[in-house]
């Protein structure tokens, strides 16, 4: 039974443009659009396969993968391996990584190695030569010296992000994580929860933007806030320990900083961030001044904190 108000919410007049989204070219193969309204179409024309998709990126990507790919494989055979491998490095600037691996470039043809940097995350993309008989073996051979040069700074291979490495490590060890975030406003928690299976390890977090929340909820001592200021390593340590204790997790993470564009001082300029990781064997904190605008500083902060956790969980060197 639906009352009048519910009927008004559920029933709408069809907009005049709606029928256009159902138009189909004569003789076209129709691709189902499972995330939208307008279908995709494929038409053979003078020996060419012409494919039409809606412009909405999510709709186009879904149909490319689910609908067009099987058609292309049927007509032209399964796609060959792409011949690429990505080495993920976290928590270090591009310049430092470049200096460490630059001598390896001369071993490979031009364009075989690319370095792609973002805020707190660097990807080294290795490409096997098109004529390589065994692409996997060639990529293994290429990756070996880079693995050696990167050591503990290498997060992993063909990973989407640091959060994927952290969740995988925590799940393998049966460990749980809690967060306390100030300048990042929940960004670390959001990144962790994008990973399927994160519910097994991420218990929750506290967004402690105000000092009152740091003190009253997380238990940061008032004297610590007065003596060192909210953006300090002692406060980051107390936040991480408070989150771990309050939520009952194996690991507690914390971030506090000046993301900008205002709020900086001579002692603590914009980009100053303190982050900490707390576990059963103690608490580790770091202070850094990250470059870029507000969003870049927040990204640097989140990636650096996750990388610190990765290193602590795996018993790796902490810079």
């Amino acid at each position: 039974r639906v009352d009048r108000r519910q009927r008004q919410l559920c029933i709408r007049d069809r907009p005049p443009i709606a029928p256009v989204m159902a138009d189909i070219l004569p003789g076209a193969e129709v691709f189902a659009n499972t995330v939208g309204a307008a279908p995709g179409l494929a038409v053979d024309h003078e020996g060419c396969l012409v494919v039409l998709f809606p412009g909405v990126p999510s709709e186009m990507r879904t149909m490319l993968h689910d609908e067009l790919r099987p058609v292309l494989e049927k007509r032209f055979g399964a796609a060959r391996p792409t011949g690429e491998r990505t080495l993920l490095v976290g928590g270090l600037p591009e310049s430092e990584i470049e200096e460490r691996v630059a001598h390896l470039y001369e071993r490979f043809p031009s364009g075989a190695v690319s370095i792609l940097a973002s805020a707190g995350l660097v990807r080294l993309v290795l490409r096997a030569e098109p004529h390589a008989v065994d692409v996997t073996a060639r990529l293994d051979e290429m990756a070996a010296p880079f693995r050696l040069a990167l050591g503990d700074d290498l997060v992993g291979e063909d990973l989407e992000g640091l959060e994927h490495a952290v969740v995988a490590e925590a799940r393998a060890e049966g460990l749980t994580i809690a967060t306390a975030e100030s300048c990042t406003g929940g960004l670390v928690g959001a990144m962790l929860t994008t990973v399927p299976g994160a519910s097994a390890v991420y218990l929750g977090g506290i967004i402690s933007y105000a000092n009152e929340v740091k003190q009253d909820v997380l238990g940061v001592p008032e004297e610590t806030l007065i003596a060192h200021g909210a953006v300090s390593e002692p406060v980051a340590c107390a936040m991480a320990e408070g989150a771990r204790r309050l939520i009952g997790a194996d690991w507690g993470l914390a971030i506090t900083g000046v993301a900008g564009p205002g709020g900086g001082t001579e002692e603590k300029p914009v980009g100053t961030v303190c982050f900490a990781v707390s576990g059963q064997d103690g608490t580790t904190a770091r202070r850094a001044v990250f470059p870029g605008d507000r969003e870049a500083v927040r990204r640097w902060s989140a990636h650096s904190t996750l990388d610190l956790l990765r290193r602590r969980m795996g018993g790796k060197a902490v810079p």
Side-chain angles (χ1 to χ4, degrees), residues 13-73:
D13 293 335
R14 185 185 66 183
I17 198 174
V20 176
M21 292 190 289
D23 283 349
I24 296 174
L25 296 173
E29 181 174 355
V30 179
F31 295 147
N33 185 348
T34 58
V35 293
L41 304 173
V43 181
D44 278 302
H45 179 70
E46 297 182 357
C48 295
L49 181 66
V50 180
V51 182
L52 310 174
F53 287 131
V56 181
S58 60
E59 298 179 24
M60 184 180 70
R61 281 195 296 267
T62 300
M63 281 188 278
L64 279 170
H65 183 272
D66 296 345
E67 301 290 335
L68 180 60
R69 183 174 179 176
V71 170
L72 295 178
E73 289 183 349

Side-chain angles (χ1 to χ4, degrees), residues 176-180 204 236-237 239-245 247-255 275-280 282-284 305 308-309 312:
T176 54
I177 301 168
T179 54
C237 288
M239 289 171 61
E241 291 162 1
R244 178 170 171 261
R245 179 182 63 253
I247 297 176
D250 296 301
W251 292 98
L253 316 184
I255 303 174
F275 52 99
V277 171
S278 178
Q280 290 183 351
T283 303
T284 304
T305 306
L308 181 58
L309 173 62
R312 285 285 308 273

Side-chain angles (χ1 to χ4, degrees), residues 9 24-25 39 51 76 98-99 105-106 117 119 123-124 137 141 157 173 193 220 222 239 266 298 306 319:
L9 292 173
I24 296 174
L25 296 173
V51 182
F76 305 111
E98 180 84 21
E99 183 178 359
Y105 295 164
E106 61 189 29
R123 291 178 172 86
L124 280 165
E141 179 186 351
E157 301 182 15
E173 298 295 328
T193 54
V220 178
E222 182 181 12
M239 289 171 61
E266 185 175 346
R298 283 159 43 85
L306 287 172

Side-chain angles (χ1 to χ4, degrees), residues 79-84 108-113 126-136 138-139 142:
R80 294 183 61 188
T82 58
E84 286 189 358
F108 308 106
S110 176
V113 182
L126 312 181
R127 299 180 181 87
E129 297 86 341
H131 60 268
V133 176
D134 188 332
V135 171
T136 301
R138 177 54 177 159
L139 288 172
M142 294 177 68

Side-chain angles (χ1 to χ4, degrees), residues 1-315:
R1 182 177 179 272
V2 180
D3 62 29
R4 176 178 294 183
R5 184 174 180 278
Q6 288 174 316
R7 285 183 62 85
Q8 290 174 343
L9 292 173
C10 295
I11 301 174
R12 297 182 180 179
D13 293 335
R14 185 185 66 183
I17 198 174
V20 176
M21 292 190 289
D23 283 349
I24 296 174
L25 296 173
E29 181 174 355
V30 179
F31 295 147
N33 185 348
T34 58
V35 293
L41 304 173
V43 181
D44 278 302
H45 179 70
E46 297 182 357
C48 295
L49 181 66
V50 180
V51 182
L52 310 174
F53 287 131
V56 181
S58 60
E59 298 179 24
M60 184 180 70
R61 281 195 296 267
T62 300
M63 281 188 278
L64 279 170
H65 183 272
D66 296 345
E67 301 290 335
L68 180 60
R69 183 174 179 176
V71 170
L72 295 178
E73 289 183 349
K74 184 177 180 180
R75 290 174 65 118
F76 305 111
R80 294 183 61 188
T82 58
E84 286 189 358
R85 182 169 300 172
T86 299
L87 308 183
L88 188 69
V89 187
L92 295 176
E94 176 188 8
S95 57
E96 183 174 335
I97 297 170
E98 180 84 21
E99 183 178 359
R100 198 182 306 177
V101 302
H103 68 283
L104 299 174
Y105 295 164
E106 61 189 29
R107 300 190 189 184
F108 308 106
S110 176
V113 182
S114 300
I115 185 167
L116 309 175
S118 58
L121 206 62
V122 175
R123 291 178 172 86
L124 280 165
V125 182
L126 312 181
R127 299 180 181 87
E129 297 86 341
H131 60 268
V133 176
D134 188 332
V135 171
T136 301
R138 177 54 177 159
L139 288 172
D140 287 340
E141 179 186 351
M142 294 177 68
F146 286 95
R147 292 193 198 104
L148 186 63
L150 294 170
D152 286 347
D153 297 322
L154 177 64
V155 177
E157 301 182 15
D158 292 332
L159 291 171
E160 292 185 43
L162 266 163
E163 58 273 23
H164 293 262
V166 166
V167 170
E169 178 78 14
R171 289 192 70 176
E173 298 295 328
L175 301 171
T176 54
I177 301 168
T179 54
E181 302 183 60
S182 183
C183 66
T184 45
L187 180 58
V188 173
M191 292 170 65
L192 289 170
T193 54
T194 62
V195 183
S199 59
V201 300
Y202 182 56
L203 301 185
I206 305 296
I207 300 176
S208 53
Y209 211 60
N211 284 352
E212 292 80 5
V213 179
K214 294 180 179 69
Q215 183 178 335
D216 297 340
V217 178
L218 292 171
V220 178
E222 182 181 12
E223 55 270 25
T224 303
L225 285 164
I226 293 172
H228 302 281
V231 181
S232 63
E233 290 176 81
V235 168
C237 288
M239 289 171 61
E241 291 162 1
R244 178 170 171 261
R245 179 182 63 253
L246 183 66
I247 297 176
D250 296 301
W251 292 98
L253 316 184
I255 303 174
T256 177
V258 185
T265 65
E266 185 175 346
E267 181 186 0
K268 298 176 183 179
V270 169
T272 301
V273 177
C274 296
F275 52 99
V277 171
S278 178
Q280 290 183 351
D281 57 346
T283 303
T284 304
R286 291 291 183 268
R287 173 175 169 155
V289 180
F290 295 129
D293 60 13
R294 184 178 180 85
E295 184 57 26
V297 170
R298 283 159 43 85
R299 288 280 168 186
W300 264 105
S301 303
H303 283 139
S304 298
T305 306
L306 287 172
D307 188 61
L308 181 58
L309 173 62
R310 173 190 72 86
R311 293 170 186 269
R312 285 285 308 273
M313 283 197 299

